[in-house]
């Protein structure tokens, strides 16, 4: 049952935000479109991982490395949309430094283990982006409810996923030697948070019509 | 005795759960805070609107009072003086009875005075329509329409199907609606090039609905500019003051149409 949940239900739940986004596609502004492509490509990567592991019985850790970099770059692009000039420059520099650090860690640790330091670092940076946007949104002189702004839902989804998953990213290498039960338990928790993120994204896409893109640029 | 080592997986799960709770609380707190601020802002805005409405009310009231005073002064003082002057000219007798110059002077003076008296009366009625005060809105509008119809500038038709509701209409509201209709008719004559206009009073439950339309050129594209004109701003502020709403349809080339809805409590 747990395997079915991890292997089928959660990966397929990616369709919830994707369908919602496609229905409202003409209303999606740039940040929403970035999240749409993020969800779509995450879904594809997830699918490739499942095929490699379950069908071809091969290691999928290389795909995880690609996913980690892709995830950080796309989410940085999302938060880039809400920054002023200084913020945009800072994000560009963060991206360059992150990619260099990732390659350095990869060089020292090899391809067969998780890049726990840089992956955890990326999660911490994304949490910082989320908190900054939360404060920015609360200072906005808008006349709409928190729930009516789609960006708030998407930001919340990202914040919950990365902050809850941070401990898992940090200890990812320990799980390589853990018992099957523990691995499944941890993945079930992770997938539940991922599912919650997708649901929050879907609500965000649904509410996108009421959202005028804010930018201090 | 050796202590059992901590299970790292359980610690990770606990860490994940704790962070999840912490973040969720942070978000909920942020939502509550933001919605509270929004509510406060809305309350403040509502208070500000109410204050502005009371100011507008005071301005309109004082404007009406001043119009009434000037109208009465014109009617009583200037009108009486002119009548006196006319009488004096009539009573004046020249040295010789058959002075042709005097006769033509007296006739032309009297006709000028009659015209001035008529104009003063019209101005006075426009400033403070006595018919509105004594006979109500429909009588005042009918009188105004009759004057317009007689001038030949426009053919105005008035249909009244809200007699009972109009009886309940108080003077400030009646004055506001009268002024609005006066402004609309004025706009039709001045800008629309229309030959016909219709005013239709209709009772819808406890609300008075007034339909106004003409067969002129209607509102041209770029209506925002027209809507910001003084005339329509006056209409808007007068209706806002009595809590009435209005809806203007813009059919360029098909005439102008507006519907006023006033709930009578």
């Amino acid at each position: 049952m747990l395997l079915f949940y991890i292997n089928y239900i959660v990966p397929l739940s990616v369709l919830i935000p994707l369908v919602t986004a496609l229905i409202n596609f003409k209303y999606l502004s740039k940040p929403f479109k970035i999240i749409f492509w993020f969800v779509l490509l995450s879904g594809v990567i997830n699918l490739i991982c499942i095929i490699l592991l379950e069908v071809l019985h091969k290691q999928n850790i290389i795909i995880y490395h690609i996913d980690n970099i892709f995830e950080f770059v796309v989410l940085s692009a999302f938060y880039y949309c809400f920054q002023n000039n200084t913020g945009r420059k800072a994000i560009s520099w963060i991206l360059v430094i992150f990619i260099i650090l990732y390659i350095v860690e990869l060089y020292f640790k090899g391809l067969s283990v998780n890049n726990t330091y840089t992956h955890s670092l990326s999660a911490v940076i994304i949490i910082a982006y989320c908190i900054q946007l939360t404060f920015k949104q609360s200072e906005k002189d808008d006349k709409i409810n928190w729930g009516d702004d789609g960006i708030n839902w998407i930001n919340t989804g990202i914040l919950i996923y990365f902050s809850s998953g941070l401990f898992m990213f940090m200890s990812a290498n320990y799980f390589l030697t853990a018992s099957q039960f523990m691995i499944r338990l941890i993945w079930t928790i992770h997938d539940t948070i991922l599912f919650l993120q997708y649901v929050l994204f879907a609500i965000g896409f649904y509410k996108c019509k009421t959202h005028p893109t804010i930018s201090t640029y | 005795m050796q202590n059992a080592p901590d299970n790292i997986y359980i610690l990770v799960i606990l860490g994940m759960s704790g962070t999840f709770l912490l973040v969720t609380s942070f978000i909920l707190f942020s939502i509550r805070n933001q919605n509270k601020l929004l509510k406060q802002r809305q309350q403040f805005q509502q208070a500000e609107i109410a204050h502005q409405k009371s100011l507008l009310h005071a301005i309109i009231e004082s404007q009406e009072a001043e119009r009434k005073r000037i109208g009465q002064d014109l009617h009583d003082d200037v009108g009486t003086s002119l009548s006196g002057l006319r009488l004096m000219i009539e009573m004046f007798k020249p040295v010789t009875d058959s002075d042709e110059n005097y006769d033509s002077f007296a006739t032309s003076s009297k006709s000028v005075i009659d015209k001035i008296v008529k104009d003063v009366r019209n101005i006075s009625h426009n400033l403070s329509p006595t018919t509105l005060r004594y006979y109500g809105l429909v009588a005042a509008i009918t009188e105004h329409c009759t004057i317009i119809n007689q001038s030949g500038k426009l053919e105005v038709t008035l249909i009244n199907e809200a007699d009972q509701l109009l009886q309940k209409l108080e003077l400030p509201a009646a004055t506001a609606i009268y002024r609005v209709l006066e402004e609309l008719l004025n706009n039709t004559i001045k800008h629309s090039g229309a030959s016909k206009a219709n005013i239709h009073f209709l009772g819808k439950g406890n609300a008075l609905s007034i339909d106004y339309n003409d067969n002129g050129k209607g509102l041209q594209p770029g209506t925002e500019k027209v809507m910001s004109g003084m005339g329509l701003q006056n209409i808007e502020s007068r209706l806002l003051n009595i809590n009435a709403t209005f809806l203007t349809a813009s059919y360029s080339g098909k005439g102008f149409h507006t519907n006023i809805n006033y709930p009578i409590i």
Side-chain angles (χ1 to χ4, degrees):
Chain A
M1 186 63 197
L2 266 182
L3 269 179
F4 185 75
Y5 175 71
I6 295 168
N7 287 341
Y8 298 101
I9 294 179
V10 175
L12 279 175
S13 69
V14 78
L15 292 172
I16 304 171
L18 284 181
V19 171
T20 319
L22 284 172
I23 292 169
N24 298 296
F25 199 77
K26 61 177 173 181
Y27 304 111
L28 297 186
S29 56
K30 198 179 164 190
F32 284 104
K33 278 188 180 149
I34 293 173
I35 293 297
F36 169 74
W37 289 111
F38 168 69
V39 176
L40 182 69
L41 293 172
S42 294
V44 172
I45 289 170
N46 219 345
L47 189 72
I48 295 169
C49 284
I50 291 168
I51 292 169
L52 277 176
L53 201 69
E54 301 294 326
V55 183
L56 304 171
H57 302 288
K58 283 187 177 174
Q59 274 294 322
N60 57 8
I61 200 141
I62 295 171
I63 305 291
Y64 275 115
H65 285 304
I66 296 167
D67 186 34
N68 290 344
I69 296 173
F70 157 78
E71 186 180 78
F72 186 71
V73 171
V74 177
L75 288 180
S76 294
F78 170 71
Y79 288 101
Y80 186 89
C81 300
F82 304 100
Q83 303 298 323
N84 55 20
N85 268 341
T86 323
R88 288 180 176 202
K89 270 183 197 160
I91 287 184
S92 308
W93 278 108
I94 288 169
L95 268 175
V96 174
I97 293 166
F98 172 79
I99 292 169
I100 293 168
L101 286 176
Y102 202 92
I103 294 165
V104 169
E105 193 183 356
L106 209 61
Y107 176 77
F108 282 109
K109 281 187 171 173
L111 278 171
S112 56
V113 289
N114 289 303
N115 262 10
T116 43
Y117 297 139
T118 37
H119 193 200
S120 306
L121 176 70
S122 76
V124 170
I125 295 169
I126 289 167
I127 293 168
Y129 289 158
C130 291
I131 291 170
Q132 194 232 10
L133 185 59
T134 306
F135 282 118
K136 210 167 202 170
Q137 291 282 89
S138 67
E139 281 167 10
K140 230 167 74 175
D141 196 25
D142 248 4
K143 290 183 182 84
I144 56 168
N145 241 341
W146 185 94
D148 292 334
D149 191 339
I151 288 296
N152 286 334
W153 291 96
I154 286 175
N155 189 43
T156 302
I158 297 170
L159 182 59
I160 288 179
Y161 175 75
F162 281 93
S163 53
S164 307
L166 181 63
F167 279 90
M168 191 190 159
F169 304 147
M170 287 192 301
S171 47
N173 281 334
Y174 286 98
F175 296 116
L176 294 175
T177 53
S179 67
Q180 277 297 310
F181 172 74
M182 272 302 166
I183 290 173
R184 275 184 198 160
L185 185 63
I186 294 277
W187 274 112
T188 308
I189 295 170
H190 167 268
D191 283 3
T192 306
I193 298 164
L194 188 67
F195 181 77
L196 178 66
Q197 182 189 240
Y198 285 154
V199 171
L200 292 172
F201 279 2
I203 299 172
F205 287 133
Y206 177 71
K207 301 267 185 181
C208 71
K209 287 179 209 170
T210 53
H211 173 71
T213 309
I214 55 151
S215 173
T216 48
Y217 184 61
Chain B
M1 199 176 131
Q2 198 180 348
N3 286 335
D6 286 340
N7 187 326
I8 187 157
Y9 310 116
I10 292 171
L11 292 179
V12 168
I13 292 167
L14 285 173
M16 285 172 81
S17 315
T19 319
F20 177 80
L21 282 176
L22 210 65
V23 168
T24 312
S25 319
F26 165 73
I27 291 160
L28 290 176
F29 180 74
S30 162
I31 294 170
R32 211 182 71 159
N33 207 23
Q34 210 167 314
N35 286 347
K36 208 171 164 181
L37 269 173
L38 181 71
K39 211 173 167 184
Q40 277 175 349
R41 209 178 292 160
Q42 280 169 344
Q43 277 172 348
F44 176 73
Q45 277 173 345
Q46 271 168 357
E48 206 172 11
I49 289 167
H51 176 65
Q52 278 177 352
K53 253 177 117 174
S54 70
L55 281 179
L56 183 71
H57 184 74
I59 291 168
I60 290 173
E61 288 283 300
S62 63
Q63 196 184 43
E64 281 304 324
E66 194 64 3
R67 275 170 178 240
K68 192 178 159 189
R69 191 186 64 77
I70 297 170
Q72 271 174 355
D73 284 356
L74 270 178
H75 186 268
D76 298 347
D77 300 346
V78 183
T80 316
S81 303
L82 284 168
S83 300
L85 181 64
R86 194 181 191 282
L87 208 65
M88 273 169 69
I89 291 168
E90 224 167 34
M91 283 170 71
F92 179 76
K93 293 281 175 206
V95 183
T96 52
D97 277 350
S98 57
D99 190 339
E100 278 180 18
N101 283 337
Y102 166 74
D103 285 341
S104 90
F105 165 76
T107 315
S108 59
S109 295
K110 278 193 282 187
S111 73
V112 170
I113 291 169
D114 285 346
K115 192 183 174 299
I116 296 171
V117 169
K118 200 179 163 191
D119 288 349
V120 165
R121 195 190 296 134
N122 280 344
I123 295 167
S124 155
H125 276 224
N126 268 339
L127 285 169
S128 170
T130 40
T131 320
L132 182 70
R133 244 175 296 148
Y134 297 115
Y135 303 103
L137 178 66
V138 177
I141 292 289
T142 309
E143 190 184 73
H144 193 69
C145 292
T146 310
I147 295 168
I148 293 173
N149 285 340
Q150 280 170 355
S151 74
K153 288 176 186 167
L154 187 71
E155 190 189 323
V156 190
T157 314
L158 178 72
I159 303 165
N160 178 18
E161 289 180 56
D163 243 346
Q164 280 187 331
L165 269 178
L166 285 165
Q167 307 264 324
K168 296 180 197 168
L169 205 64
E170 285 178 359
L171 188 63
T175 310
I177 294 170
Y178 177 80
R179 294 283 180 218
V180 166
L181 288 171
E182 197 181 28
E183 188 69 52
L184 287 171
L185 284 165
N186 201 23
N187 283 349
T188 295
I189 294 167
K190 270 188 184 169
H191 310 293
S192 77
S195 58
K196 283 181 182 175
N198 297 307
I199 301 168
H200 189 181
F201 289 101
L202 197 71
K204 283 181 183 171
N206 269 340
L208 173 69
S209 165
I210 306 161
D211 264 318
Y212 177 88
N213 60 65
D214 65 33
N215 64 348
K217 60 187 176 189
L219 292 178
Q220 298 298 305
T223 310
E224 294 83 9
K225 205 180 165 186
V226 180
M227 293 303 283
S228 64
M230 271 305 282
L232 284 173
Q233 267 187 10
N234 275 344
I235 291 173
E236 198 179 339
S237 51
R238 281 196 182 272
L239 292 175
L240 178 79
N241 186 44
I242 58 166
N243 291 324
T245 54
F246 79 111
L247 197 73
T248 302
S250 159
Y251 297 116
S252 188
K254 290 180 188 173
F256 171 83
H257 173 247
T258 191
N259 175 264
I260 298 163
N261 200 285
Y262 175 60
I264 301 173
I265 304 153

